[in-house]
Amino acid sequence: MAAAGVSSTRTLRTLRTVRILLSPLRAPIPNRTGPLRLLSSLPPPGTWTSELSRLPHRDLHRLSVTDPDQFWGAAAADRLRWMKPFERVQDCDLNRGKINWFPGGRINVSVNCLDVHVETHPDRAALIWERDEPGTEVRVTYRELLEMTCRLANTLKAHGVQKGDRVAVYLPTSPLAVAAMLACARIGAVHTVVFAGFSAEALAGRIQDAECKVVLTCDETVRGGRSVPLKATVDAAVRSCPSVRHVLVSRRTDGGATAAAVGPLDVPLEEAMKAAAPVCPAEALDSEDPLFLLYTSGSTGRPKGLVHSQAGYLLYTSLTHQYVFDHRDGDVFGCVADIGWITGHSYVVYGPLCNGATTVLFESTPVYPNPGRYWEMVQRLRVSQFYGAPTALRLLLSYDDSWVKKYDRSSLRTLGSVGEPINHEAWHWFHDVVGEGRCPLVDTWWQTETGGICIAPRPAEEGAPVVPAMAMRPFFGIEPVLMGEQGQPLSGQSVDGALCLARPWPGMARSIFRDHQRFIETYFTPYPGCYFTGDGAWRSEDGFYQITGRMDDVINVSGHRLGTAEVEDALDEHPAVPESAVVGFPHPIKGEVPFAFVVLKDDLGSPPAVLRQLRELVATKIAKYAVPEHFLVVERLPKTRSGKIMRRVLRKVATEATGDLGDLSTLDDPSVVQEIIQAHRRYREQHRKS
Ligand code: PRX
């Protein structure tokens, strides 16, 4: 794909230059054919040392798609420390869902995130733990984090954890959580971090699916001044998890100490780590050994455990972290995501630590103790990059701008947004008020599956336009394709279609845990040869991309991805509910909220009591954010003759966009639509009155 505005002569000249510049690296990295020779000497890790760094971004992008082996081979050799050099750059076949990067290589992610930096700057803060109470932050240096990680790795080993075993991490964003992830990486165990807001049942489902041997947790956590009991949730979850042999319990607060470490599986973590050796040899892992599982919602079925592996993921997160955020040595990187989500994995932990950055661990909420929290933190910690979710921005812009302006934000260089579309009002407030119009704002599009940012502006590129609400351009190695309704690639500009990525990239997920077939069917079957994102996108006249939203039954509540099928499954478990259908409904702050259409049996309780129980049911089965904001009791649901619920009609009823309901000819009984519209009118009236 030609980079816009680059003449072919100039591009060819640049590529020739790149080939010359890369020649010392290129020779030892064999391509697909010929005898395999191993790399003999490697440049220092953690820095982008080669001449590639001097090339303009557009030329780097062009190289990354015209000669991906050259680009990624050089990047991997240059930026990562290998225990055994890789033999090939890639061996991928998207048709079969086969993704294999840097085969033959051996590596340890924790060495790249810790040991290499301890060699050069041991006393630099790796983490700044921004605890719930402002002004009580704790700094952890690279040396301290390495020791903590080793002690925890030895503790895991002492409790029977071996290479390949899964370890559940149910902890708030904290140094211990980061050490837990890196400790698993050190010994080759596979972590699965579960967002600490998930219910006992949701946690149990993940532990069961991953067959975790050990769970790491703490007594309780504190958020927005309120304590949240975690250990009690773990206790309830592990009752139905026979694979769990030990629960390692840390003491986060003094108040919760009594709740900690009492059951037969429980091990007091601080004592165990104190007794463990402070040094732990790093396992030499295959490039493609799994690093972690992260469960995420799909349009059908239970959440799926996406598998990410070692070398490619680390390379991709470190490269995107540097280029998208314009990361420079000495920066304090402030990503306020929870480590329970992919954003926390890639841009709180792995990308920044691989780059030797100081990364902020934000434990609180945007409005605690007041709506100035983020900006007071920026001033106090001298944050260079601030990366957050539009839902929080929408909430904050409803308060007076003085909450922002009274704090010094001169340390900020780049602003970032992630997880959902950023509307114009939020974009402008973030850019103009928070960033004083001088910081580029990167709207970053990516997914749990993609491992790292795929489409975003490139702020470090000279003269790069940053346009409101545009996710902009593909990152290195990414080739977006928009597909039409017949499955054909759409060429040209000003078009919209299904967003696919036409070639493999090192950060992408490798599989769904123990269900590779589902992986293939979900992502590679809809458009053979391409990765299907599930999102729609629009390509502007200038060739920039804008995400138009999900094309499936996944919704986005306050930046949390939620499958409507999961909510329906929870509702349908109630004896009074024979069936239900859930759709996304727009919300000014949260982006979307679930809107539930429920059919109730006549003879079971009063509707208000049942609806209360349904709310509780969803909170216990999934999490509080998944509880529908609206319940509409209906007699029947609109179904096709083959029995499929026509959700698009329900979406239109919910948003009162019933002027054009589209083709209803496949409905079994079209009169059901009028019935539901009437029920919705009554609901709306009642709602207005209350
Ligand atoms: O619909 C897209 C939306 O979030 C989905 C991915 O959710 P998740 O796997 O939880 O990862 C979120 C953090 C990377 C996508 O399929 N999404 C993500 N970023 C954007 C976005 N929608 C619009 N603009 C974005 N920048």
Side-chain angles (χ1 to χ4, degrees):
M1 210 164 102
V6 184
S7 79
S8 54
T9 336
R10 198 182 136 220
T11 308
L12 276 176
R13 202 167 49 234
T14 312
L15 285 175
R16 229 173 283 129
T17 321
V18 169
R19 278 178 210 291
I20 295 161
L21 294 173
L22 283 174
S23 51
L25 279 173
R26 195 177 193 216
I29 304 172
N31 263 331
R32 293 172 199 86
T33 52
L36 297 179
R37 279 175 53 204
L38 302 182
L39 298 170
S40 50
S41 72
L42 296 171
T47 46
W48 188 224
T49 50
S50 80
E51 296 294 332
L52 274 174
S53 63
R54 294 195 203 120
L55 285 178
H57 290 201
R58 59 161 66 95
D59 295 337
L60 277 175
H61 182 261
R62 184 162 170 72
L63 176 69
S64 73
V65 291
T66 51
D67 194 345
D69 281 14
Q70 175 82 306
F71 178 86
W72 290 116
D78 201 14
R79 298 178 71 92
L80 302 179
R81 176 174 294 181
W82 294 86
M83 290 163 153
K84 177 176 169 276
F86 49 93
E87 292 158 10
R88 290 166 72 182
V89 175
Q90 60 170 305
D91 178 16
C92 301
D93 177 0
L94 290 189
N95 283 304
R96 291 192 293 132
K98 177 182 172 200
I99 301 139
N100 188 354
W101 283 88
F102 312 113
R106 298 228 154 226
I107 194 164
N108 188 284
V109 165
S110 79
V111 167
N112 280 276
C113 289
L114 298 171
D115 305 54
V116 295
H117 308 306
V118 172
E119 286 166 17
T120 52
H121 42 75
D123 297 320
R124 175 182 293 177
L127 314 175
I128 305 179
W129 183 19
E130 173 69 2
R131 297 198 299 175
D132 195 46
E133 235 19 81
T136 64
E137 74 272 12
V138 173
R139 286 178 160 75
V140 180
T141 66
Y142 272 94
R143 192 206 309 265
E144 289 164 342
L145 185 58
L146 175 60
E147 182 182 329
M148 202 172 162
T149 299
C150 287
R151 285 185 185 275
L152 192 42
N154 287 326
T155 304
L156 289 172
K157 284 208 267 191
H159 289 86
V161 177
Q162 295 173 355
K163 186 183 160 194
D165 286 343
R166 272 81 55 209
V167 172
V169 178
Y170 191 69
L171 283 168
T173 301
S174 56
L176 183 66
V178 178
M181 294 160 82
L182 293 169
C184 290
R186 195 144 192 106
I187 62 174
V190 180
H191 60 74
T192 179
V193 181
V194 180
F195 172 55
F198 275 123
S199 66
E201 267 197 51
L203 172 62
R206 286 154 173 82
I207 295 174
Q208 286 159 1
D209 188 76
E211 289 190 85
C212 296
K213 221 180 205 179
V214 161
V215 182
L216 267 148
T217 191
C218 64
D219 47 5
E220 60 180 1
T221 177
V222 193
R223 208 158 170 263
R226 284 207 298 267
S227 66
V228 185
L230 295 191
K231 174 64 171 31
T233 308
V234 172
D235 285 345
V238 296
R239 266 181 230 133
S240 58
C241 301
S243 63
V244 175
R245 303 213 191 132
H246 302 285
V247 177
L248 309 185
V249 190
S250 159
R251 268 191 306 276
R252 166 70 180 83
T253 60
D254 292 334
T258 45
V262 286
L265 301 178
D266 300 343
V267 177
L269 188 55
E270 279 76 17
E271 282 85 333
M273 282 173 68
K274 216 159 149 198
V279 176
C280 175
E283 196 75 32
L285 298 166
D286 189 279
S287 301
E288 284 297 349
D289 277 334
L291 174 64
F292 65 85
L293 308 182
L294 191 55
Y295 284 81
T296 193
S297 300
S299 49
T300 53
R302 285 151 59 106
K304 46 201 172 192
L306 285 157
V307 183
H308 280 281
S309 61
Q310 313 274 333
Y313 171 79
L314 190 65
L315 175 64
Y316 196 74
T317 52
S318 85
L319 200 68
T320 44
H321 170 251
Q322 182 183 332
Y323 275 86
V324 175
F325 298 104
D326 190 17
H327 168 72
R328 301 178 201 165
D329 214 33
D331 280 353
V332 175
F333 189 71
C335 170
V336 290
D338 192 285
I339 46 121
W341 310 111
I342 191 69
T343 310
H345 282 60
S346 301
Y347 300 109
V348 173
V349 182
Y350 289 113
L353 293 182
C354 186
N355 290 338
T358 297
T359 183
V360 175
L361 310 176
F362 185 72
E363 190 187 40
S364 193
T365 81
V367 287
Y368 184 75
N370 58 52
R373 175 58 187 266
Y374 279 162
W375 325 118
E376 185 273 328
M377 175 186 82
V378 166
Q379 170 181 287
R380 183 163 32 84
L381 306 183
R382 302 290 303 154
V383 171
S384 325
Q385 289 91 359
F386 183 90
Y387 191 32
T391 184
L393 302 174
R394 287 193 294 265
L395 175 65
L396 295 179
L397 69 77
S398 64
Y399 295 91
D400 197 86
D401 287 353
S402 61
W403 284 112
V404 182
K405 289 182 175 162
K406 67 175 160 186
Y407 299 109
D408 174 12
R409 288 152 287 126
S410 58
S411 59
L412 286 174
R413 196 166 64 247
T414 316
L415 304 172
S417 159
V418 60
E420 48 175 325
I422 178 165
N423 51 311
H424 280 258
E425 193 189 6
W427 195 98
H428 280 291
W429 183 79
F430 200 18
H431 184 259
D432 303 343
V433 179
V434 175
E436 299 168 309
R438 59 174 182 82
C439 303
L441 196 177
V442 290
D443 176 10
T444 62
W445 174 86
W446 57 296
Q447 309 174 297
T448 307
E449 293 86 339
T450 68
I453 295 164
C454 289
I455 302 181
R458 301 180 202 140
E461 178 172 330
E462 220 172 286
V466 179
V467 185
M470 291 288 278
M472 309 290 278
R473 286 178 289 183
F475 190 71
F476 307 146
I478 300 294
E479 194 179 329
V481 183
L482 300 183
M483 299 292 190
E485 278 174 14
Q486 317 308 327
Q488 80 288 13
L490 301 171
S491 56
Q493 318 292 42
S494 298
V495 284
D496 66 14
L499 176 64
C500 293
L501 304 178
R503 60 175 69 245
W505 66 100
M508 70 194 299
R510 304 305 198 244
S511 194
I512 290 173
F513 188 61
R514 292 193 178 148
D515 200 350
H516 197 65
Q517 196 50 35
R518 185 176 174 198
F519 184 64
I520 296 172
E521 281 161 15
T522 310
Y523 304 109
F524 304 104
T525 310
Y527 301 95
C530 288
Y531 164 79
F532 174 47
T533 65
D535 280 312
W538 183 69
R539 186 163 54 227
S540 73
E541 305 88 74
D542 311 311
F544 296 140
Y545 288 86
Q546 183 170 18
I547 306 303
T548 50
R550 295 290 306 192
M551 300 180 74
D552 52 14
D553 293 317
V554 172
I555 64 171
N556 203 316
V557 185
S558 304
H560 300 329
R561 177 167 158 177
L562 179 67
T564 51
E566 285 170 63
V567 186
E568 289 165 8
D569 285 350
L571 297 174
D572 295 352
E573 276 192 28
H574 193 287
V577 179
E579 58 180 354
S580 64
V582 173
V583 297
F585 182 74
H587 185 278
I589 307 273
K590 298 179 184 176
E592 275 180 299
V593 287
F595 190 124
F597 294 80
V598 286
V599 178
L600 294 184
K601 281 189 192 157
D602 299 335
D603 51 342
L604 274 165
S606 75
V610 173
L611 296 186
R612 223 175 14 255
Q613 289 157 11
L614 289 177
R615 285 193 184 91
E616 270 163 34
L617 196 60
V618 178
T620 18
K621 294 223 157 275
I622 311 174
K624 282 197 186 123
Y625 71 83
V627 175
E629 191 133 326
H630 302 276
F631 281 92
L632 180 60
V633 179
V634 291
E635 302 269 312
R636 305 179 285 163
L637 292 170
K639 287 193 190 158
T640 61
R641 267 172 238 122
S642 56
K644 255 187 104 187
I645 298 171
M646 210 184 250
R647 285 184 180 71
R648 78 176 160 76
V649 168
L650 296 177
R651 266 189 288 266
K652 294 212 164 177
V653 174
T655 53
E656 298 177 46
T658 46
D660 173 23
L661 286 169
D663 181 12
L664 301 179
S665 61
T666 55
L667 278 181
D668 183 36
D669 178 1
S671 70
V672 68
V673 177
Q674 282 311 318
E675 246 175 63
I676 295 176
I677 292 176
Q678 294 307 329
H680 182 257
R681 281 208 185 114
R682 288 193 296 274
Y683 170 80
R684 210 184 49 201
E685 287 304 315
Q686 275 170 10
H687 218 65
R688 275 204 195 115
K689 278 185 212 144
S690 59

